[in-house]
Amino acid sequence: MIGQRHRHLHIDGRWQPADSQEKLDLIDPATEQWVASAPDGNAADVATAAAAARRALPGWSEAPPEDRADLIAALADGFDERREEFARLVTAQNGAVISRSRRTNGTRPVALYRHHSEVARAFEPEMVDTAGREILRREPIGVVGIIIPWNAPQSLLAHKLAPALAAGCTVVVKPAQETPLDSLRIAELAATVGFPPGVINVVTGGRATGAAIVDEPDIDMVSFTGSTGAGRAIASRAGRLLKPVVAELGGKSAAVLLDDADLELFSERLIATCLPNTGQVCYSCTRVVAPRERFDEVLAVVTSTLAAAKVGDPLDPATTFGPLVSAAQRDRVQGYIESAHSEGAKVVLGGKRPTTTPAGYYVEPTVIIDVNHSMRVFREEIFGPVLVVVPHDGDADAVRIANDSSFGLGGAVFGVDVERSTEVARRMQTGRISINGEAHSVSAPSQGFKDSGIGGSIDLHSHLQVKSIARFPS
Ligand code: NAD
């Protein structure tokens, strides 16, 4: 797919020429070279895809759950064989370091499809009360419009697509303008493994294509992952149309270190917890909240760990920090670093473009201190390799600082006493927390609190509506 000028979308189980003549030019963030182009789909393309999804709906939603389960499992197997291809295809578009892309665009989607294949197999759509009078029936919502961002596109897609398919919904996918190719590829793969035409359709494009998904009458529900700003626009549009929305949005999460935190363990888990994917992950814990009495010690661990990490070619398995996704994102991140300087904070590591990378949208891993809680670098999602370290005066103060945010997406607590750490986690207003860097299972729900979202798509029930049938005994 690399090096090609794609003029087709994947709709109704086959490649079809796009109605739109506009295109998205993809640039490799590491080299600034042209990668490929894809159609910038218009409202007519969305309508064609939605009509195909609508036609496919009765057959798919009424198919025995085990048939759906078998096809989702076949998609998992097909993906598994092409994991490396997907990981590289994503990295060529978004610059994600390959060691991480192999997980988020390789093994994790496979695990998500496998998990939801089992969920589909076990799904019982009807429950009848003991007297046989009342039936509770769960039916698929219908055609789901899936809109995703670029940062881990195949995990984020599987996170929405797998449960939608398991529930019996058909879908129209709108990938991010930065990463259209891997979504087109998965639609092609789904057709190859036997999905009926129209169950999975992909229309590539930008914001206007996303807006057309929301407005399209043949789309019954919108499942969105992306920024809080776009989430607000989408949810208000969908609200007017009374269309159900799942919105998985931005974050500004906190990693709280308690006074007994094991700093060696924290150092090992620091990058995965605080700046994964060069800080371009919604769950990044970019506010490190450290005990005041151990502040210097924590800061030394943070700066030495980040200073030792390799910045450079994302295809090199030894690289930890790659480029940012685009020139615009790099400039945005640098704007935040400038704001820290002008608001009186102190940049103690990084802050500039690295001198070792002649091309590409790189920013050095950056650590900022002397931050007060009204500064932009404390309050706003930066989505780059930038974190702040702030002091706390005990567990209650740490919770107060962590909760001093309009967001509530992720979070972490580091402490040797796991029960005490869990108690702190219970008091943090956020949807997903890890203790000592423990990873969540593939079936763990993820739901944003506050401005981080509405609902969560990984749950099968988000894609179902409930009908109750009361029967007069005959
Ligand atoms: P973005 O909001 O700019 O775009 C996301 C997707 O929405 C893209 O496909 C885009 O074309 C589309 N879009 C944008 N505006 C739209 C509109 N008004 N109507 C319809 N569609 C629209 O986000 P991004 O820069 O691609 O991704 C980064 C953001 O995503 C960050 O804020 C990050 O925290 C968030 N994110 C959240 C999660 C989560 O699970 N909560 C996961 C990954 C990323």
Side-chain angles (χ1 to χ4, degrees):
M1 302 195 90
I2 302 287
Q4 292 175 23
R5 294 181 193 281
H6 299 275
R7 295 202 165 81
H8 291 70
L9 301 168
H10 209 282
I11 295 176
D12 216 7
R14 62 197 163 86
W15 293 105
Q16 295 196 24
D19 176 79
S20 167
Q21 298 308 303
E22 301 299 315
K23 62 183 170 62
L24 307 166
D25 275 310
L26 312 180
I27 305 297
D28 181 337
T31 61
E32 303 182 40
Q33 300 296 308
W34 184 85
V35 171
S37 64
D40 187 0
N42 60 20
D45 290 314
V46 169
T48 305
R54 176 68 59 200
R55 283 194 300 277
L57 187 61
W60 182 249
S61 60
E62 288 160 26
E66 52 274 20
D67 290 5
R68 293 203 294 265
D70 288 346
L71 276 170
I72 299 169
L75 186 60
D77 292 344
F79 199 118
D80 205 7
E81 285 167 20
R82 294 165 183 80
R83 275 190 344 235
E84 184 66 13
E85 179 199 334
F86 273 105
R88 285 179 176 269
L89 187 55
V90 172
T91 289
Q93 300 168 86
N94 73 358
V97 297
I98 194 69
S99 56
R100 184 176 167 85
S101 197
R102 283 183 175 132
R103 288 200 304 281
T104 58
N105 302 298
T107 49
R108 186 166 165 82
V110 172
L112 283 162
Y113 289 120
R114 293 227 161 100
H115 169 71
H116 281 94
S117 158
E118 294 315 310
V119 171
R121 210 176 292 284
F123 177 53
E124 300 274 1
E126 288 194 0
M127 278 161 37
V128 188
D129 70 356
T130 42
R133 290 178 63 128
E134 198 150 72
I135 299 173
L136 206 65
R137 184 177 157 76
R138 292 189 170 79
E139 297 183 356
I141 277 185
V143 177
V144 180
I146 294 178
I147 304 174
I148 51 167
W150 45 265
N151 59 328
Q154 283 305 313
S155 273
L156 296 169
L157 177 57
H159 189 94
K160 293 178 171 301
L161 177 59
L165 295 173
C169 295
T170 59
V171 304
V172 178
V173 178
K174 206 296 282 176
Q177 50 275 33
E178 294 85 354
T179 50
L181 302 181
D182 47 299
S183 285
L184 288 170
R185 182 76 183 95
I186 199 149
E188 184 184 43
L189 175 61
T192 313
V193 303
F195 270 82
V199 173
I200 301 172
N201 308 277
V202 174
V203 179
T204 55
R207 183 174 294 197
T209 320
I213 296 259
V214 182
D215 287 344
E216 169 55 47
D218 256 328
I219 290 181
D220 302 304
M221 168 185 167
V222 178
S223 180
F224 171 72
T225 302
S227 61
T228 293
R232 278 188 210 287
I234 288 170
S236 53
R237 242 179 145 104
R240 227 182 39 237
L241 299 166
L242 292 180
K243 232 175 237 197
V245 173
V246 166
E248 297 174 280
L249 309 178
K252 184 75 183 179
S253 301
V256 169
L257 279 75
L258 302 183
D259 57 17
D260 65 345
D262 173 347
L263 293 191
E264 208 175 303
L265 179 73
F266 176 59
S267 166
E268 276 169 30
R269 309 272 160 98
L270 169 67
I271 293 169
T273 303
C274 300
L275 294 176
N277 203 33
T278 314
Q280 301 170 114
V281 170
C282 51
Y283 287 96
S284 304
C285 294
T286 51
R287 295 181 297 146
V288 174
V289 186
R292 192 178 299 277
E293 65 277 17
R294 297 184 74 187
F295 187 86
D296 292 345
E297 211 187 330
V298 172
L299 185 60
V301 166
V302 171
T303 52
S304 62
T305 308
L306 297 183
K310 182 169 167 21
V311 179
D313 178 5
L315 286 170
D316 178 348
T319 300
T320 304
F321 287 96
L324 298 175
V325 70
S326 61
Q329 186 62 15
R330 177 202 52 204
D331 295 347
R332 196 169 162 266
V333 170
Q334 290 213 298
Y336 274 107
I337 296 168
E338 284 313 310
S339 81
H341 285 297
S342 62
E343 290 184 311
K346 192 165 154 196
V347 175
V348 291
L349 182 78
K352 298 186 288 300
R353 297 183 188 185
T355 49
T356 47
T357 49
Y361 309 130
Y362 290 88
V363 173
E364 292 172 332
T366 300
V367 178
I368 305 175
I369 61 167
D370 294 349
V371 169
N372 75 46
H373 300 180
S374 62
M375 289 180 183
R376 293 182 63 204
V377 288
F378 183 87
R379 305 216 72 79
E380 297 177 22
E381 182 181 49
I382 298 175
F383 231 54
V386 180
L387 57 78
V388 300
V389 188
V390 295
H392 72 76
D393 293 304
D395 296 8
D397 193 45
V399 169
R400 180 189 65 78
I401 294 168
N403 290 343
D404 185 8
S405 174
S406 59
F407 296 105
L409 192 60
V413 183
F414 284 84
V416 168
D417 180 342
V418 172
E419 284 312 318
R420 179 179 161 209
S421 301
T422 308
E423 197 44 44
V424 168
R426 286 193 181 102
R427 286 184 278 147
M428 284 165 66
Q429 296 159 348
T430 192
R432 181 179 267 224
I433 308 188
S434 82
I435 292 176
N436 292 327
E438 183 66 10
H440 286 83
S441 68
V442 82
S443 60
S446 72
Q447 187 171 352
F449 288 18
K450 302 192 266 185
D451 289 355
S452 290
I454 308 170
S457 62
I458 197 155
D459 181 6
L460 186 76
H461 294 275
S462 301
H463 303 88
L464 296 167
Q465 50 196 348
V466 183
K467 174 187 285 176
S468 62
I469 304 172
R471 305 190 285 190
F472 193 73
S474 56

